[in-house]
Amino acid sequence: MLSSGIKMNNSYWGWIKLHRSSNSIWLNSEIEILQQISNQISLAIFYKTLIEENLEKKIQMKAETIANEIKTQMLANISHELRTPLGAIIGLNSCFNYSTLTNDQKDMINIINHISDFILSIVNKILNAAILETHQITSTNTIFDLLDLFEKVFEKFIKDIENKQVEFILNYDVENLPKYIKSNPESLKQVLYYLLLNLIKFTKANKIIVYVSIKLQRGIDNKKSNTHSQTIKKDYLLIELYNTSNGYQDNIELGLSMCKHLVTINGGEFKAKIQLEKENKFWFTWNIDLLPLNAIFNYQ
């Protein structure tokens, strides 16, 4: 009897066995042919298994993609169904002539406005969380005007600041901060929006201060060589936001998990200090790329 093993992943999948009469012998050429046949069968089984595994993975990935798309679409539809009537409620409330209302009626209108804003914020938070979960937020770095980005985010809260009579201070280090940088502007705007939303809408803030500065971090890069390390320099923004509060806080943690996630994706660090009826503070680092002079000139 002549036998040859068929191997798969360093173990035997099966055997090929040939029989002859006891008075005959096997030639070396016959032994080599049998070995070649067993090797070819091993390769065929390996490729078949590999194709099946890849096909299974593709089917699983496709199913997950379809499920995430359906989930996102359902959340978008639900959000639309909720935001449309909420927008109508908010719009109708603004049409009331407060001068003709009693104090109790004015209080009820204010309560309706507050609850509508709160529910609208929750709906937006759910949608954004779903986007993060399905990995639709990607880190896309582009060149943008840093100060202009801050101003556009702050403009969204002008009415709230005026209505609440909050003193707003932007401490922006113009002399040291570059005008143009390269980073992810959309993610940075989302982080700023939710932090300001917490500080303005959900606390009784007397004053809100935002500090923006640039820092230089030195580190060690060991990838250049197995024996020599190299000191590298990395620029990042340090953004600090805090308010002085002497009143209630309602759902102050709205969107903070998303903020932390976006900051982490950027390679930064996010921290928060929340105290009832005291100062609330958020601060985070944001990695940026400074541009050479010729790139800034071309961009302008």
Side-chain angles (χ1 to χ4, degrees):
M1 184 180 69
L2 181 66
S3 64
S4 179
I6 300 173
K7 288 187 175 182
M8 277 290 295
N9 299 326
N10 297 323
S11 62
Y12 285 101
W13 180 84
W15 296 84
I16 299 177
K17 295 185 178 182
L18 301 179
H19 296 267
R20 274 185 178 176
S21 60
S22 58
N23 59 353
S24 64
I25 62 171
W26 293 98
L27 300 176
N28 289 334
S29 59
E30 292 174 324
I31 295 173
E32 290 178 1
I33 290 174
L34 181 61
Q35 185 63 53
Q36 291 176 5
I37 292 173
S38 66
N39 290 340
Q40 292 298 322
I41 294 175
S42 295
L43 285 173
I45 295 173
F46 172 76
Y47 284 124
K48 178 179 180 296
T49 305
L50 187 63
I51 291 171
E52 289 177 347
E53 290 177 353
N54 288 338
L55 182 60
E56 185 178 350
K57 289 179 180 178
K58 287 182 180 179
I59 293 173
Q60 184 179 358
M61 291 175 61
K62 185 66 175 178
E64 290 176 356
T65 300
I66 294 173
N68 285 331
E69 289 176 354
I70 294 173
K71 174 183 175 181
T72 303
Q73 187 60 47
M74 288 179 61
L75 287 171
N77 292 338
I78 293 172
S79 171
H80 176 74
E81 295 299 326
L82 287 173
R83 283 191 288 189
T84 300
L86 281 173
I89 293 172
I90 295 171
L92 287 173
N93 279 345
S94 63
C95 296
F96 284 102
N97 184 357
Y98 274 50
S99 61
T100 61
L101 300 176
T102 64
N103 290 334
D104 289 341
Q105 290 171 331
K106 291 178 183 179
D107 289 339
M108 286 188 285
I109 294 295
N110 288 331
I111 291 172
I112 293 173
N113 281 330
H114 179 73
I115 294 175
S116 299
D117 287 340
F118 172 74
I119 296 175
L120 190 59
S121 300
I122 292 293
V123 171
N124 290 332
K125 179 184 177 182
I126 294 172
L127 275 179
N128 287 328
I131 292 173
L132 280 178
E133 186 177 340
T134 54
H135 306 288
Q136 292 184 16
I137 293 180
T138 57
S139 181
T140 304
N141 292 337
T142 57
I143 299 173
F144 61 94
D145 186 324
L146 182 60
L147 181 58
D148 182 65
L149 180 143
F150 276 90
E151 290 177 346
K152 286 182 178 178
V153 174
F154 297 152
E155 285 175 1
K156 297 179 180 180
F157 297 97
I158 289 178
K159 185 177 292 186
D160 293 310
I161 292 173
E162 292 177 349
N163 291 339
K164 288 194 170 185
Q165 296 181 343
V166 177
E167 182 181 0
F168 184 83
I169 300 172
L170 172 61
N171 193 324
Y172 188 93
D173 191 357
V174 178
E175 293 184 359
N176 295 314
L177 281 166
K179 182 174 177 61
Y180 296 103
I181 63 169
K182 186 175 182 181
S183 184
N184 187 334
E186 296 305 318
S187 294
L188 180 56
K189 281 193 285 188
Q190 275 198 300
V191 175
L192 291 172
Y193 175 81
Y194 274 110
L195 294 183
L196 286 171
L197 183 67
N198 277 287
L199 291 176
I200 296 173
K201 283 202 170 187
F202 301 112
T203 62
K204 276 190 174 180
N206 299 322
K207 182 186 296 184
I208 295 175
I209 304 175
V210 179
Y211 289 100
V212 186
S213 58
I214 189 169
K215 303 292 181 182
L216 178 64
Q217 181 177 358
R218 290 179 173 84
I220 303 297
D221 186 4
N222 295 317
K223 296 180 181 179
K224 298 296 181 181
S225 170
N226 293 331
T227 56
H228 298 89
S229 60
Q230 182 177 350
T231 302
I232 58 173
K233 299 178 181 179
K234 183 66 178 178
D235 297 288
Y236 66 91
L237 297 176
L238 175 61
I239 302 172
E240 304 166 271
L241 307 89
Y242 69 88
N243 69 344
T244 54
S245 175
N246 61 357
Y248 70 91
Q249 58 184 38
D250 186 7
N251 199 31
I252 188 68
E253 297 184 8
L254 178 65
L256 293 191
S257 59
M258 169 172 287
C259 293
K260 185 176 182 179
H261 186 81
L262 291 172
V263 170
T264 303
I265 290 176
N266 179 262
E269 184 179 9
F270 179 87
K271 293 184 179 180
K273 184 179 180 181
I274 301 171
Q275 302 178 86
L276 184 63
E277 298 187 3
K278 293 183 179 180
E279 178 183 282
N280 298 303
K281 182 177 180 180
F282 307 104
W283 66 102
F284 64 95
T285 58
W286 192 264
N287 290 330
I288 62 172
D289 291 326
L290 296 180
L291 305 175
L293 292 176
N294 58 341
I296 296 174
F297 179 77
N298 293 333
Y299 183 77
Q300 291 176 324

